[in-house]
């Protein structure tokens, strides 16, 4: 896809400055492709280099993390924190522990996070972090030693008014607890707002665990509402079977859909009767077993080893696993099977070719920076509760999340309409997020 002639040189600079970081290039190109009509209408955004500054992180931190395994051997991992943009508030974004973590992955995630956070309407900037440490197969003590070593460096760069990390892939309540404990130990401060995703016993928020999955389904509901349709009575397929996927499946079924497929890295399960959420949670989150174990305990389910979950005929597709998991061939398969709605529960799980196919075939498509913003939105709600020394119940917090996701959809739809792309939520999300950050940058000046 060609870019606006005034934006192509900026993208060329991104390619030159960030060689080999394909995910980051992909994310930047998608946004820049949406901004042609914006810079035509508002040339001042080019005049004060808002677009160029938004493509360059304010700060990138890379450091080693030495730790002792249970055999007493020293292990070394690499960790990152990319503080991308703070025009709207302190940097906010998760920490990912996974062997695939690299500078380019974290930069792409931080770039996306900046727009996602802007869409929530809340006062939070964009950042992201993580390490190539793999918590799978590690003992609780090994994970604790790693987290403590990581925070021994990270504490210098974070704070409730500076940068507020949260969880992500491989980083759950346990890891956040270890990180917070070491931060408190080093700083001698009980600064609850420095991390989100904490346990409920020490400042965590209700709904934070469920938020990304729930929020994705709330966004789907709003997409369907625009066309006078509902979720009730429709089939859905969810890729992944981790935290986001399970809670997306749960909320979809609570709203009347039948979730007939889930997956993990080994294969997928097709359950025409509808996924048993309690069993799925037991198998995946409690036991940490493979998805095949679900099929062994559920007579109506069939397991496909290494198969393509997108081959299941469905009305709603929710990719909730990882980036670029749904390619053009899978998108065409979904279209041929009559899919009506696709919403990204993960960060950029659809390739550009897949997105093109969905848009050309009039499939309702919710981009990740809008559809999966529920997690960071509830993290911001956790920050509010910490700042006021308050605690909200589950129903109230879920209601706040629902309001935020409805607002995100409204902002995306309104921006798409205003700039001549009615119904295109990809373009609308990129424009709405960009305009809010650019306006703040213009107000603050060149900093």
């Amino acid at each position: 896809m060609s870019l606006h002639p005034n934006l192509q040189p900026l993208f060329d600079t991104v390619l030159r400055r960030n060689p080999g970081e394909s995910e980051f290039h992909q994310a930047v190109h998608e946004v820049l492709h949406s901004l042609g009509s914006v810079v035509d209408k508002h040339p001042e955004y080019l005049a004060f280099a808002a677009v160029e500054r938004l493509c360059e992180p304010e700060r990138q931190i890379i450091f080693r993390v030495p730790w002792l395994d249970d055999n007493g051997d020293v292990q070394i991992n690499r960790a990152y924190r990319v503080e991308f943009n703070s025009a709207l508030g302190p940097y906010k974004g998760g920490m990912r522990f996974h062997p695939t973590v690299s500078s380019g992955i974290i930069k792409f995630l931080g770039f996306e996070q900046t727009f996602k956070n802007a869409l929530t309407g809340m006062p939070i900037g964009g950042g992201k972090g993580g390490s190539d440490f793999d918590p799978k197969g590690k003992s609780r003590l090994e994970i604790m030693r790693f987290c403590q070593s990581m925070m021994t460096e990270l504490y210098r760069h974070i704070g409730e008014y500076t940068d507020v990390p949260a969880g992500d892939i491989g980083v759950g309540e346990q890891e956040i607890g270890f990180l917070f404990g070491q931060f408190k130990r080093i700083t001698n401060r009980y600064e609850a707002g420095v991390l989100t995703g904490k346990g409920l016993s020490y400042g965590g928020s209700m709904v934070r665990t469920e938020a990304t999955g729930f929020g994705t389904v709330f966004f789907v509901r709003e997409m369907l509402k625009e066309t006078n349709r509902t979720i009730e009575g429709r089939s859905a397929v969810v890729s992944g079977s981790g935290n986001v996927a399970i809670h997306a499946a749960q909320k979809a079924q609570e709203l009347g859909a039948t979730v007939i497929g889930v997956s993990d890295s080994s294969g997928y399960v097709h359950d025409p009767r509808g996924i048993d959420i309690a069993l799925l949670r037991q198998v995946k989150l409690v036991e940490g077993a493979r998805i095949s174990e679900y099929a062994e305990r559920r007579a109506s389910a069939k397991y496909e080893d290494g198969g393509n979950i997108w081959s299941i005929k469905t009305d709603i597709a929710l990719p909730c696993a990882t980036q670029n998991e749904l390619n053009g061939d899978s998108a065409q398969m979904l279209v041929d099977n009559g899919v009506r709605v696709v919403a990204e529960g993960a960060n950029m799980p659809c390739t550009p070719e897949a997105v093109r196919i969905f848009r050309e075939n009039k499939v309702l498509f919710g981009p990740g920076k809008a559809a999966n913003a529920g997690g960071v939105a509830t993290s911001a709600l956790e920050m509010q509760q910490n700042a006021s020394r308050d605690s909200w119940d589950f129903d109230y917090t879920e209601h706040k999340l629902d309001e935020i996701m409805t607002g995100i959809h409204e902002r995306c739809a309104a921006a798409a309409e205003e700039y001549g792309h009615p119904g295109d939520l990809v373009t609308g999300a990129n424009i709405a997020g960009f305009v809010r950050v650019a306006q703040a940058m213009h107000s603050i000046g060149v900093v």
Side-chain angles (χ1 to χ4, degrees), residues 60-388:
Q60 300 180 68
I61 303 149
I62 304 176
F63 55 98
R64 71 180 183 188
V65 184
W67 56 283
L68 289 176
D69 65 20
D70 287 342
N71 296 320
D73 295 326
V74 176
Q75 303 294 331
I76 303 291
N77 286 94
R78 179 175 288 181
Y80 308 84
R81 189 69 185 171
V82 174
E83 298 174 333
F84 219 100
N85 190 283
S86 59
L88 296 176
Y91 309 105
K92 185 81 192 80
M95 299 289 293
R96 176 176 294 190
F97 291 173
H98 194 272
T100 60
V101 165
S102 64
S103 177
I105 293 289
I106 297 302
K107 202 180 294 179
F108 129 64
L109 292 169
F111 180 78
E112 289 281 292
Q113 196 76 47
T114 300
F115 294 87
K116 181 188 302 185
N117 293 1
L119 287 171
T120 67
M122 306 181 85
I124 45 177
K128 204 75 177 182
S131 172
D132 58 4
F133 173 77
D134 188 357
K136 288 184 178 178
K138 304 295 192 302
S139 71
R140 186 173 188 274
L141 287 177
E142 287 177 322
I143 293 171
M144 182 182 73
R145 293 187 205 108
F146 173 82
C147 290
Q148 290 176 339
S149 181
M150 183 177 191
M151 184 54 78
T152 301
E153 172 60 31
L154 186 64
Y155 89 95
R156 312 168 196 275
H157 311 288
I158 64 175
E160 62 179 315
Y161 300 112
T162 306
D163 185 355
V164 183
D168 195 86
I169 295 172
V171 179
E173 186 177 314
Q174 172 184 255
E175 291 73 21
I176 292 294
F178 292 150
L179 291 166
F180 180 76
Q182 184 72 352
F183 179 88
K184 185 172 74 71
R185 179 187 192 184
I186 293 171
T187 64
N188 194 32
R189 297 198 306 271
Y190 202 101
E191 191 177 319
V194 71
L195 289 163
T196 58
K198 301 182 295 296
L200 295 176
S201 62
Y202 66 104
S205 174
M206 290 283 191
V207 192
R208 179 60 190 89
T209 302
E210 298 86 355
T212 305
F214 279 20
T216 299
V217 177
F218 289 148
F219 196 85
V220 168
R221 181 199 62 203
E222 294 304 304
M223 293 166 70
L224 285 167
K225 192 183 294 184
E226 283 286 297
T227 59
N228 298 312
R229 290 179 284 179
T230 67
I231 290 179
E232 189 173 2
R234 300 192 183 277
S235 60
V237 166
V238 183
S239 68
S241 50
N243 182 61
V244 176
I246 288 174
H247 290 107
Q250 175 187 332
K251 182 54 64 176
Q253 297 203 152
E254 286 177 3
L255 294 183
T258 302
V259 178
I260 58 175
V262 291
S263 67
D264 65 12
S265 58
S266 65
Y268 73 87
V269 163
H270 182 201
D271 190 346
R273 285 181 53 192
I275 295 295
D276 182 329
I277 300 298
L279 176 59
L280 180 63
R281 184 180 283 111
Q282 175 66 30
V283 168
K284 295 302 297 182
L285 299 186
V286 177
E287 300 174 14
R290 306 307 295 173
I291 197 70
S292 56
E293 183 67 23
Y294 172 93
E296 290 179 9
R297 304 186 201 177
R298 175 83 164 168
S300 59
K302 180 182 179 182
Y303 172 68
E304 291 289 342
D305 186 13
N308 185 348
I309 190 171
W310 308 119
S311 64
I312 300 174
K313 181 179 174 63
T314 187
D315 299 318
I316 300 169
L318 303 177
C320 295
T322 191
Q323 66 267 9
N324 290 325
E325 60 167 291
L326 200 167
N327 61 23
D329 290 341
S330 295
Q332 191 60 57
M333 196 181 305
L334 283 166
V335 168
D336 291 343
N337 283 333
V339 73
R340 303 290 186 86
V341 186
V342 178
E344 296 185 314
N347 291 303
M348 206 171 72
C350 297
T351 66
E353 177 69 5
V355 176
R356 180 188 64 78
I357 289 170
F358 293 139
R359 293 163 85 178
E360 287 180 354
N361 287 277
K362 310 300 182 186
V363 173
L364 297 177
F365 181 76
K369 60 172 63 70
N372 72 36
V376 74
T378 307
S379 281
L381 297 178
E382 182 176 331
M383 292 167 67
Q384 287 185 18
Q385 293 169 80
N386 293 159
S388 62

Side-chain angles (χ1 to χ4, degrees), residues 1-4 7 11 14-15 22-36 38 51 55 108 111-113 115-116 119 324 344 346-356 359 365-370 412 421 424-431 433-434:
M1 297 182 290
S2 60
L3 298 178
H4 187 285
L7 296 174
F11 185 63
V14 168
L15 294 177
S22 58
E23 292 88 357
F24 181 52
H25 302 162
Q26 179 182 335
V28 172
H29 191 279
E30 182 208 280
V31 171
L32 295 187
H33 185 262
S34 300
L35 297 183
V38 179
V51 183
C55 293
F108 129 64
F111 180 78
E112 289 281 292
Q113 196 76 47
F115 294 87
K116 181 188 302 185
L119 287 171
N324 290 325
E344 296 185 314
N347 291 303
M348 206 171 72
C350 297
T351 66
E353 177 69 5
V355 176
R356 180 188 64 78
R359 293 163 85 178
F365 181 76
K369 60 172 63 70
C412 294
H421 304 276
D424 184 347
L425 296 181
V426 174
T427 299
N430 289 332
I431 291 175
F434 168 78

